[in-house]
Amino acid sequence: MTDGTPGKVYLVGSGPGDPDLLTVKAKRLLEEADVVLHDKLPGPEIIGMIPEEKREDVGKRAGGEWTPQEYTNARLVELAEDGNTVVRLKGGDPTVFGRGGEELAHLADNGIPVEIVPGITSAIAGPEAAGIPVTHRDYTSSVSFVTGHEDPTKDESAVDWDALAATGGTLVVLMGVGKLPQYTEALREAGMDPDTPVALIERATWPDQQVATGTLDTIVSVRDEAGIEPPAITVIGEVAGEHERVVAFLEGY
């Protein structure tokens, strides 16, 4: 029984997956929380740090189905209304293509105290783990972050690939392995050089990280030959060529 005062929900970013890249606050909250709702993106090492009795998987279910966002929203409210301190643990940063904004609004609409705890976004840390700086004075001074996995209920894509191709900057696509053929073709049709370097970083900072490189013209076949699967990050632009330049000396991952 509670006194009717709701608990608090923390929307926590876990970073790209290496436990050493958790923020101090994120680690403390994982230790203090009554319940942790997580999906698979934080990675097995971080999820393994959470006692089994206080974690709930709201990611992929048996049979390939995903937990509906509506269920997760409702579960967060239910747990908080029971007086629990709840962590909603997300990969990367909670609001960079992580639905943190949706959960924040839902909690506020239901009168639940909520706090966002930023995490190191995979959009930057993933390329860095492969020796790729997303900006570089010799190549580009801008970077655009794009989701390759939009809401399937949308009538049309909100991503303007023509405009992105025209920026001349780095493009970082999250959750874009499956639709790689579509958006690489869209960028070529928009005038981007087919020889533009492209890198795919699978499971960045995880023990089984894999990197594959090619060009806008070849990266789909490179993906297939290397067996790159989600979760993976796509980096498009001259900076992607830095991987081959530094890989022999790159340490850490």
Side-chain angles (χ1 to χ4, degrees):
M1 297 291 291
T2 69
D3 61 3
T5 302
K8 183 173 179 178
V9 175
Y10 295 89
L11 306 177
V12 178
S14 66
D18 181 349
D20 285 345
L21 296 180
L22 279 170
T23 65
V24 173
K25 187 168 187 176
K27 186 175 185 298
R28 174 174 61 79
L29 289 172
L30 288 177
E31 295 168 350
E32 296 176 354
D34 297 309
V35 187
V36 178
L37 270 62
H38 68 89
D39 48 37
K40 298 294 190 294
L41 288 177
E45 290 188 82
I46 292 176
I47 293 171
M49 295 167 55
I50 308 163
E52 188 173 354
E53 65 272 12
K54 71 175 189 180
R55 68 182 191 234
E56 295 185 17
D57 188 344
V58 291
K60 198 170 185 178
R61 294 175 169 179
E65 294 183 356
W66 290 88
T67 303
Q69 185 63 45
E70 293 76 15
Y71 170 85
T72 302
N73 289 349
R75 184 63 175 148
L76 289 170
V77 171
E78 177 185 34
L79 289 166
E81 287 181 339
D82 286 341
N84 293 291
T85 297
V86 185
V87 165
R88 172 67 175 104
L89 187 67
K90 298 171 175 291
D93 181 90
T95 65
V96 179
F97 306 130
R99 300 187 182 180
E102 299 172 44
E103 293 169 356
L104 175 67
H106 185 80
L107 292 162
D109 288 346
N110 284 271
I112 303 299
V114 57
E115 180 179 338
I116 298 176
V117 180
I120 299 173
T121 176
S122 303
I124 295 174
E128 286 175 337
I132 299 171
V134 295
T135 63
H136 192 298
R137 288 196 304 171
D138 291 343
Y139 306 126
T140 179
S141 297
S142 68
V143 57
S144 301
F145 301 124
V146 187
T147 177
H149 185 72
E150 295 185 88
D151 185 342
T153 64
K154 287 182 178 178
D155 292 333
E156 60 184 33
S157 174
V159 179
D160 188 338
W161 294 105
D162 286 4
L164 290 169
T167 67
T170 305
L171 303 182
V172 179
V173 186
L174 281 75
M175 302 173 288
V177 176
K179 293 189 176 180
L180 185 67
Q182 290 93 320
Y183 62 80
T184 51
E185 180 180 3
L187 289 168
R188 290 196 303 270
E189 290 179 352
M192 186 174 281
D193 187 344
D195 291 329
T196 300
V198 181
L200 298 171
I201 306 106
E202 177 185 344
R203 301 179 187 274
T205 79
W206 296 22
D208 54 351
Q209 173 179 301
Q210 182 179 5
V211 181
T213 59
T215 67
L216 200 62
D217 210 28
T218 66
I219 196 62
V220 174
S221 59
V222 167
R223 175 200 66 179
D224 297 341
E225 291 170 9
I228 299 292
E229 297 181 348
I233 297 160
T234 309
V235 185
I236 303 170
E238 294 301 322
V239 294
E242 288 295 287
H243 171 75
E244 296 299 331
R245 180 178 180 179
V246 305
V247 65
F249 302 94
L250 190 64
E251 298 184 357
Y253 303 104

